[in-house]
Amino acid sequence: MTSLPEPAVLVLEDGTRHTGRAYGALGTTLGEVVFATGMSGYQETLTDPSYAGQIVLQTAPHIGNTGMNDEDPESRRIWVAGYIVRDPSRVVSNWRANASLDEILVQDGIVGISGIDTRAITRHIRSAGSMRGGIFSGEAAGLDAEEQLRIVREAPEMAGQNLSAQVSVDVASVTDAVGDKIGNLAVLDLGVKQATIDNLAARGFEVHVLPQSSTFADITAIDPVAVFYSNGPGDPSASDGQVAVLRQVLDAKLPYFGICFGNQLFGRALGLSTYKLTFGHRGINQPVLDRVTGKVEITAHNHGFAVEAPLDGAFDSPHGYGAIEVSHVGLNDNVVEGLRALDLPAFSVQYHPEAAAGPHDANYLFDRFRDMVIASKKDAQ
């Protein structure tokens, strides 16, 4: 007879407590508790660097049935601060799996909890907003409730945190272009996913992934035909260094494409402000209107911050970069999901067009970027 896992408790900063069973490593972990609505793709979610500093709750009740494999990771490790699931699978049922989810969580030291009412927690966060939380298991589960709450409330809030240095590469790397080479692409790694690199290389770019601390001189040293800012964790208002470099990119009229965090930094480079969403967008089923084509696409999201911008019509960039328009809008809540410069070769979207895992409705954006770079090269000749 198999014994039950050890007790664990989830504590939210407002005092809410949920008692369940340990899942993954034993110990204590702290972070911002957020929910992700994808019913599949948990391996891609766990290895997405944008989740650094966050305790992720899966709204899908049954997690782990396909195990873990060596082909689907989006980066070099699991980045979530903690993991919350309702009903972890007791068996692995996929021919590609070479380990169980629980085994990898233990291997990477990820503290989790299972056997709790994830729907109730989701509804609570949906109304009260994302908040700090802690998972306590092993000896920590026996701490006094007031002591656990004190530990949670002393944890740093997500607002104001710059987490790029935690997830970025330390040394530049290069991925060769597939097919005819367009040119060198400078990718500032703020938490880039492997699927993004693969999609860019497939469009003919020689992809140079650069550390988040790279200067404009570092970027121009590779003789780039364009610059790309990746997704990533943290508060965009705490990334003034990368914003300053991006303004140099725009001043030089280098073509630019940014996704997720790269969209927020593009907004700030243009002179717009950013703000924290109440509970954010995290999942692979978010409807977005592309105002260029008039089509609605189902998209993969992972962001807790957004850009503040006028939704109707073009407006002037407060920092002097000409006319700007909101190119994409979230249909659930009218959040800005994309920006397009009308006088510069630059655009961005707030979601993940590589969508690993997720829908591929927005994959065309990589083609749009390629076409923009090719057109820009012709204009420069």
Side-chain angles (χ1 to χ4, degrees):
M1 183 176 178
T2 304
S3 60
L4 288 173
E6 293 192 36
V9 60
L10 170 68
V11 180
L12 301 182
E13 68 174 279
D14 65 356
T16 303
R17 295 173 60 85
H18 293 267
T19 301
R21 294 288 174 179
Y23 187 53
L26 297 177
T28 299
T29 191
L30 305 170
E32 181 184 44
V33 180
V34 301
F35 61 85
T37 59
M39 295 183 69
S40 63
Y42 58 80
Q43 181 166 352
E44 291 89 343
T45 294
L46 289 167
T47 56
D48 180 351
S50 295
Y51 279 115
Q54 297 175 323
I55 297 174
V56 175
L57 178 152
Q58 296 278 183
T59 60
H62 193 54
I63 296 295
N65 58 307
T66 56
M68 301 284 274
N69 62 65
D70 294 331
E71 300 171 33
D72 292 342
E74 285 301 314
S75 63
R76 58 193 180 276
R77 51 163 286 194
I78 291 177
W79 290 102
V80 301
Y83 203 40
I84 306 170
V85 300
R86 178 162 183 160
D87 183 18
S89 178
R90 292 172 291 177
V91 296
V92 175
S93 303
N94 190 280
W95 64 273
R96 297 169 67 234
N98 51 28
S100 70
L101 173 55
D102 183 43
E103 289 169 343
I104 299 302
L105 292 174
V106 172
Q107 174 185 296
D108 284 13
I110 307 301
V111 176
I113 186 172
S114 66
I116 59 179
D117 189 346
T118 51
R119 180 174 173 81
I121 302 168
T122 300
R123 289 174 63 86
H124 182 59
I125 294 174
R126 180 67 173 76
S127 57
S130 299
M131 63 186 77
R132 291 169 296 177
I135 300 174
F136 301 87
S137 61
E139 293 182 3
L143 291 173
D144 180 77
E146 289 301 315
E147 173 67 6
Q148 291 172 339
L149 183 59
R150 180 192 65 79
I151 292 172
V152 169
R153 288 178 173 172
E154 289 183 352
E157 296 185 8
M158 183 58 70
Q161 287 199 63
N162 183 330
L163 301 175
S164 299
Q166 294 185 19
V167 299
S168 180
V169 295
D170 296 322
V171 179
S173 64
V174 179
T175 298
D176 292 336
V178 177
D180 294 335
K181 179 181 173 181
I182 294 174
N184 298 334
L185 175 64
V187 173
L188 196 70
D189 178 15
L190 306 170
V192 71
K193 297 166 69 177
Q194 186 60 45
T196 300
I197 297 171
D198 294 342
N199 270 281
L200 292 167
R203 268 66 178 190
F205 293 108
E206 182 176 287
V207 182
H208 292 245
V209 177
L210 306 179
Q212 57 85 32
S213 58
S214 297
T215 64
F216 182 64
D218 295 329
I219 290 173
T220 55
I222 71 163
D223 190 24
V225 293
V227 176
F228 179 93
Y229 270 29
S230 77
N231 58 292
D235 185 343
S237 68
S239 296
D240 290 343
Q242 285 99 352
V243 170
V245 171
L246 180 49
R247 291 194 65 184
Q248 291 178 284
V249 170
L250 300 178
D251 290 339
K253 293 183 170 52
L254 276 169
Y256 171 79
F257 180 25
I259 67 169
C260 202
F261 202 58
N263 174 71
Q264 297 160 17
L265 298 189
F266 183 44
R268 296 189 70 84
L270 295 173
L272 304 172
S273 61
T274 51
Y275 65 98
K276 195 174 190 301
L277 295 166
T278 303
F279 52 86
H281 299 171
R282 297 174 182 89
I284 56 178
N285 52 1
Q286 306 280 336
V288 167
L289 172 65
D290 180 349
R291 289 178 158 182
V292 175
T293 64
K295 294 181 178 179
V296 175
E297 50 201 52
I298 303 302
T299 58
H301 288 222
N302 176 12
H303 64 108
F305 295 83
V307 176
E308 184 73 50
L311 294 181
D312 297 320
F315 58 92
D316 290 332
S317 161
H319 282 170
Y321 291 109
I324 310 295
E325 68 177 7
V326 172
S327 58
H328 296 75
V329 177
L331 296 181
N332 285 333
D333 50 14
N334 287 326
V335 165
V336 173
E337 296 292 347
L339 296 167
R340 185 164 72 108
L342 302 182
D343 300 315
L344 291 173
F347 73 99
S348 62
V349 291
Q350 184 57 68
Y351 46 93
H352 292 226
E354 83 291 333
H360 296 151
D361 295 22
N363 196 258
Y364 70 90
L365 289 166
F366 291 107
D367 297 323
R368 185 178 290 180
F369 178 48
R370 177 198 60 206
D371 295 344
M372 182 181 73
V373 173
I374 291 173
S376 180
K377 288 180 65 177
K378 289 181 179 178
D379 291 342
Q381 291 175 351

